[in-house]
Amino acid sequence: MNPALGFTALAVVLVATVAVGVYGLRLSRATSDFYVASREVSPLWNASAIGGEYLSAASFLGVAGLLMAYGVDMLAYPVGYTAGYLVLLLLVAAPLRRSGAYTLPDFAEERLGSTAVRKVASVFVAVIAWLYLVPQLQGAGLTLETVTGAPRWAGAVVVAAAVTGVSAAGGMRSVTLVQGFHFWLKLTAIAVPAVFLVLAWRSAGTPSLTAPDVPRFPRTTAVDIDQRVTFDVTAPVTITVSGGLDGTSYGMEHAPGGGQRLVRVRLVAGAHTAAAGSTLTFPEGVPVPHKAGTEPATGARWASPLSGAGGRGHPLYAVYSVLLATFLGTMGLPHVLVRFYTNPDGRAARRTTLLVLILLSGFYLLPPVYGALGRIFAPQLLLTGQTDTAVLVLPQITQGGEAGRLLGALATAGAFAAFVSTASGLTVSVAGVVSQDLLRGSTRGFRWASLAAAVPPLVMTVATPGLPVADAIGLAFAVAASSFCPLLVLGIWWRGLTDLGALLGLVAGGGLAAVAVVLTSVRGTGGGWSAALLEQPAAWTVPIAFAVMVTGSLLTRGRISAAAVDRVMLRMHLPEEVGAQPEPGRPGVPVHRV
Amino acid sequence: MSSTQPPRRIAVTAPRRNRTGGWSARARAEDLHAQPRLGQVYVRSLVRDQLRLSLGVLTVLTVVLGGLPAAFALAPGLRTVDVLGVRLAWLLLGVVAYPLLVGAAWFHVRYAERVERDFTELLNAPGSGAGPAHDGTATGDAPGPGAG
C-alpha cells in the first residue's frame, strides 16, 4: 500500500466534508435550521442524503467481506438493507412525517402521551446509535491501518473528531449537503474499481468461481500480518517467514547487509499463530490456510445457498433472522427517521423513499463483485481474517502501477465517506435526542450533545476487538427491529396501543436483543444453537416484542383516551390538504396536485 | 399534547410558509375533531384502505423474498441451477431482487396517493354534505355540519 495516497484520500474526503459543512453553516442560522434543515431540501438531494447516510461501513466494506468469507447466504444483508426501506415506505413513511415527530421519542410521546415511554425510547435511540457507531469507527480504524499502517485507534479518532466537529458546527443542514455529496462519492468509489476488477477477471481467463476446489494462492504471495492471527493449515506447506510465528521469532537478527533474513519454515497441518508485524510468504498454488473459526469452503459450496460455507451453523435460521432484522430494523434506526422530517409533507416522504430505494438498489449491485472476485485475487484475506478490507485492497492487487494506486485511493475515499456520513447522521440524531431531552433544545446544548454522542462509541471501539462489520451492524438492526419497529407499526396502525403496553414491549424486546448483542460481543461467535440464537436474535426477539406490546396493551385497555387517539390518528393519516384550513375567500380546498 | 407545554420539543412543526399554494403543510384538523364520530368513521376507512394496501404489498414481499430460502431448503436441486451462466441464487438475490423492490415501492406510492385522492374527493364532493365549509368561518373538511 502507498501511505501517501491513503492519507491524501482521507484528507480530500475530510476537507471536502468540512468545506461543504462550512457552506451549510453559513446557511443555518435559526435553531430549526440546525435540527431539520428547514425542510427545504430538494427531493433528489434529500434522497441522496438518506442514501449517503445509510450506506455505512457495513454496506461499503462489510457486505463484500461477508460474501467473500461465507458465500451467497450473506446476500440477505444487502437485500434486507434495501427491503427495509420498502417496509419503511409501506408502514411508516407518510404517517410518521405527518405526525410531525422529529425523533422517535417525539413520536412515542405524541402518540402515547407518556413521558416514561419517551425516556425509554431516548435510551434506546442512544443504545442503537452507539451500537451502530462502533462498527463505523472500527471500519475507519481498519481502513487507515490497511492503507497507511497507522495504529487501529487512529482512524477511529480521526473520524469521530471530524464528525463531532461537523455536526456541532452545522447541524442538519450541513449534514444534509455533506451526505448527499457522500452518496455519489461512495457510488463512484465502488463502481469504477469494480469495472476494472471485472476486466481483470476476464483478462485472467475468467477463472471459475464455483469450482470444486478451495481457494489457492494464485501466485507466490507475501502475506503481511497486521494483527496477531491464528490460522489452520490443512496440508503441510513450506513457507518463508519474517517475524513471529508460533512463538518463535524468525529472521529478526539482522543479516550482514542490514536487512532481515527470510527463514524457510515447514508448517505442519494444524493451528499456527502469526504475530503482528510478521510476513509469511506462501508458494503459488497451495491452499490458503483460513483464520481459525472460518472453514475453507470449495467454490461450489461457497456459491450454493444454505450450505453453511465458511463454518456458519444453522444457515436457514440465520438467513431468516437477518432478513427479519433488516426488514424491520431499518425503520427503527434513529438517523433514518430524522431524515423524513426534511420532507415537506407525507406525499413527498413517500416519493423520497422511492428514490432512495432506486439509489440503494444501484449501489448494492456492486459489493458482490468484490466479494466473489476477492476469493480469486486476494484469498490471503481469508488467512488474516480481514475480508472486510476486500474493497480497499482489490483494486491495487488487480491493477498495477499508477492506475491501481489511484483506484485504491478512490476506494479509500469512498470508505471514509461511508464512515463519516453514517457517523455524522448518527451523531446528529443522538445529539438531537440528548439535547432535547436533557438540555432543553438549545443550539449550544446540541453542540455539547454531539460530543456526548460520539465519545462512548469511540471508547467502545478502542477497547473491544470487534465482530465483522456487517455482523455488528446486523446486531444494531436487531435491537431496532425489536424495539422501535413494534412501537411504530402498532402506534401508527392500531388504536389499541397503550403507553404501558408500549413500555413493556420496548423493554422486553429491545432489552432481550440488547442482552444478546452484549453476550455475542463479549464471547464472540461460536457454534451450536445457543450461539446462533444469540448472534441473530431478531427471529425471536421481534415476535416477543410484538407479543408483549399487544398483550400489555390489551390488558391495560382502560388507559386509552379515545379522543387523544383519534386526534393523533387523524393527524398521522389525513392527507395534508384535507387537514389544512382553506384560505379566506377561497371556496374549498385545492386537492388536485397531480 | 397541546402546544402549550414548555419548549421541550423544538417548535419546528409549524409550517414556515405555504409551499405549494393554497394549503398549508401541516394538518390542523380541529374541525374533524369537533365531530369525533363522523370524523372517526371517515378516518378509520382511510386508515383501513391504506393498511390493506400496505399489507398487500408486504405479503407479496414476504412470500417472494421470504419464500426464496425456503425454496432452496425444500428443493436442494435449485441450489446449483445455473441461469445465463450465473448461479440462480446469486442472480435472484444479487440482481433480480432490486428491480422487484423498486417496482413494489412504485406500485405502493402510486396507489397510496390514489387512496388519498379518492378520500379528499369524497370529502369535497358537492352534495355529499361532507364538503368543506364555504363561508370562511368553519375551517376544514368536517363531514357534516354541527359541532360535537
Side-chain angles (χ1 to χ4, degrees):
Chain A
M1 288 283 162
N2 184 331
L5 262 174
F7 277 121
T8 311
L10 169 61
V12 166
V13 170
L14 289 182
V15 168
T17 301
V18 171
V20 180
V22 168
Y23 172 70
L25 181 60
R26 285 181 36 232
L27 297 177
S28 65
R29 288 283 170 256
T31 308
S32 62
D33 287 341
F34 250 66
Y35 282 99
V36 294
S38 312
R39 288 193 259 138
E40 284 168 12
V41 181
S42 84
L44 180 63
W45 201 247
N46 199 23
S48 304
I50 294 178
E53 192 164 32
Y54 193 56
L55 294 177
S56 68
S59 303
F60 196 86
L61 302 178
V63 168
L66 281 186
L67 277 168
M68 185 176 164
Y70 302 108
V72 62
D73 287 346
M74 298 299 128
L75 281 176
Y77 277 107
V79 168
Y81 292 152
T82 316
Y85 262 97
L86 179 57
V87 178
L88 176 81
L89 169 70
L90 295 176
L91 294 175
V92 174
L96 186 80
R97 172 62 199 89
R98 286 175 178 145
S99 78
Y102 163 60
T103 63
L104 282 157
D106 280 354
F107 173 82
E109 186 178 1
E110 177 161 329
R111 170 66 177 83
L112 301 164
S114 155
T115 45
V117 181
R118 184 191 177 98
K119 290 257 150 47
V120 174
S122 303
V123 171
F124 274 106
V125 164
V127 167
I128 292 168
W130 286 339
L131 284 177
Y132 213 100
L133 270 166
V134 170
Q136 309 306 322
L137 299 179
Q138 268 170 4
L142 189 64
T143 303
L144 203 66
E145 180 187 72
T146 305
V147 292
T148 70
R152 243 184 223 201
W153 54 265
V157 170
V158 168
V159 167
V163 159
T164 312
V166 167
S167 89
M172 179 70 98
R173 179 78 191 220
S174 64
V175 167
T176 303
L177 292 173
V178 168
Q179 283 168 347
F181 157 72
H182 279 175
F183 173 80
W184 296 103
L185 174 59
K186 275 180 271 194
L187 188 61
T188 313
I190 202 160
V192 174
V195 172
F196 284 91
L197 201 53
V198 171
L199 290 178
W201 179 57
R202 293 184 73 95
S203 70
T206 58
S208 170
L209 293 161
T210 56
D213 192 15
V214 294
R216 292 172 182 275
F217 288 107
R219 63 185 79 83
T220 303
T221 306
V223 183
D224 294 321
I225 309 292
D226 289 330
Q227 300 272 315
R228 177 190 158 87
V229 65
T230 301
F231 56 92
D232 295 317
V233 173
T234 48
V237 56
T238 303
I239 63 171
T240 49
V241 180
S242 147
L245 178 66
D246 293 331
T248 315
S249 197
Y250 296 98
M252 297 309 276
E253 70 277 14
H254 288 285
Q260 291 179 353
R261 274 191 308 125
L262 295 176
V263 180
R264 292 177 69 78
V265 177
R266 177 95 179 147
L267 294 182
V268 297
H272 299 272
T273 301
S278 60
T279 301
L280 317 179
T281 306
F282 288 82
E284 178 184 343
V286 302
V288 177
H290 281 42
K291 186 184 177 182
T294 318
E295 274 174 29
T298 63
R301 188 163 174 224
W302 170 84
S304 169
L306 306 179
S307 61
R312 292 210 158 173
H314 310 290
L316 190 63
Y317 167 81
V319 164
Y320 273 115
S321 202
V322 167
L323 284 178
L324 194 66
T326 48
F327 274 32
L328 302 180
T330 304
M331 70 174 74
L333 298 177
H335 61 305
V336 167
L337 279 199
V338 173
R339 282 271 151 228
F340 278 84
Y341 203 80
T342 54
N343 292 297
D345 55 38
R347 186 197 313 257
R350 281 201 203 101
R351 293 185 168 188
T352 302
T353 316
L354 177 58
L355 263 175
V356 172
L357 262 164
I358 295 171
L359 296 179
L360 291 181
S361 296
F363 181 90
Y364 282 126
L365 292 174
L366 298 164
V369 173
Y370 292 84
L373 297 186
R375 288 174 71 82
I376 290 181
F377 291 117
Q380 64 270 27
L381 297 179
L382 295 165
L383 189 161
T384 58
Q386 297 188 344
T387 50
D388 279 342
T389 62
V391 172
L392 302 170
V393 302
L394 275 170
Q396 301 196 60
I397 289 175
T398 51
Q399 291 288 316
E402 272 319 294
R405 277 199 285 271
L406 285 176
L407 288 176
L410 181 62
T412 308
F416 272 103
F419 314 137
V420 170
S421 54
T422 302
S424 52
L426 287 161
T427 310
V428 167
S429 41
V430 176
V433 167
V434 169
S435 69
Q436 282 191 31
D437 279 343
L438 303 177
L439 305 170
R440 322 276 309 168
S442 70
T443 297
R444 178 191 289 268
F446 186 86
R447 289 184 169 148
W448 279 110
S450 300
L451 208 58
V455 169
L458 183 60
V459 173
M460 280 153 79
T461 307
V462 174
T464 60
L467 299 163
V469 171
D471 280 335
I473 292 286
L475 292 173
F477 271 86
V479 176
S482 318
S483 53
F484 288 131
C485 168
L487 177 70
L488 284 166
V489 171
L490 295 176
I492 288 172
W493 298 105
W494 186 46
R495 314 173 74 86
L497 182 69
T498 66
D499 54 347
L500 214 59
L503 196 69
L504 292 174
L506 275 180
V507 171
L512 283 172
V515 168
V517 170
V518 169
L519 284 177
T520 303
S521 307
V522 169
R523 45 172 250 177
T525 53
W529 264 113
S530 65
L533 289 172
L534 288 177
E535 283 163 30
Q536 305 292 351
W540 53 280
T541 53
V542 172
I544 287 178
F546 271 99
V548 170
M549 226 176 253
V550 170
T551 314
S553 296
L554 289 177
L555 291 178
T556 56
R557 237 172 312 188
R559 300 173 71 91
I560 299 177
S561 149
V565 175
D566 280 341
R567 203 161 53 234
V568 182
M569 294 300 270
L570 207 61
R571 189 204 267 215
M572 287 192 298
H573 292 284
L574 272 195
E576 280 84 355
E577 54 265 47
V578 175
Q581 307 196 0
E583 285 175 4
R586 188 167 174 181
V589 180
V591 291
H592 302 288
R593 296 201 311 120
V594 182
Chain B
M1 276 148 294
S2 76
S3 55
T4 54
Q5 290 210 335
R8 273 160 53 79
R9 303 200 341 233
I10 287 302
V12 286
T13 56
R16 317 196 96 213
R17 60 187 165 82
N18 288 348
R19 293 181 58 87
T20 39
W23 53 281
S24 121
R26 280 291 289 121
R28 292 169 52 95
E30 272 90 10
D31 307 288
L32 276 181
H33 304 154
Q35 294 100 8
R37 283 216 202 119
L38 270 171
Q40 247 182 52
V41 171
Y42 274 80
V43 174
R44 279 190 179 177
S45 85
L46 172 71
V47 172
R48 210 166 32 235
D49 288 352
Q50 293 283 30
L51 187 60
R52 195 178 297 142
L53 173 67
S54 291
L55 290 182
V57 181
L58 200 60
T59 309
V60 174
L61 173 76
T62 313
V63 168
V64 173
L65 275 186
L68 267 184
F72 286 123
L74 296 173
L78 285 178
R79 298 181 192 181
T80 49
V81 172
D82 280 349
V83 179
L84 307 171
V86 183
R87 282 291 161 94
L88 183 65
W90 289 85
L91 195 66
L92 290 179
L93 285 170
V95 181
V96 177
Y98 298 107
L100 286 182
L101 291 174
V102 171
W106 176 81
F107 177 89
H108 176 260
V109 168
R110 194 188 142 109
Y111 280 88
E113 288 185 0
R114 178 173 290 181
V115 166
E116 286 176 0
R117 206 160 53 233
D118 290 349
F119 177 76
T120 42
E121 272 168 15
L122 175 72
L123 286 189
N124 291 315
S128 73
H134 286 223
D135 57 14
T137 52
T139 54
D141 309 290

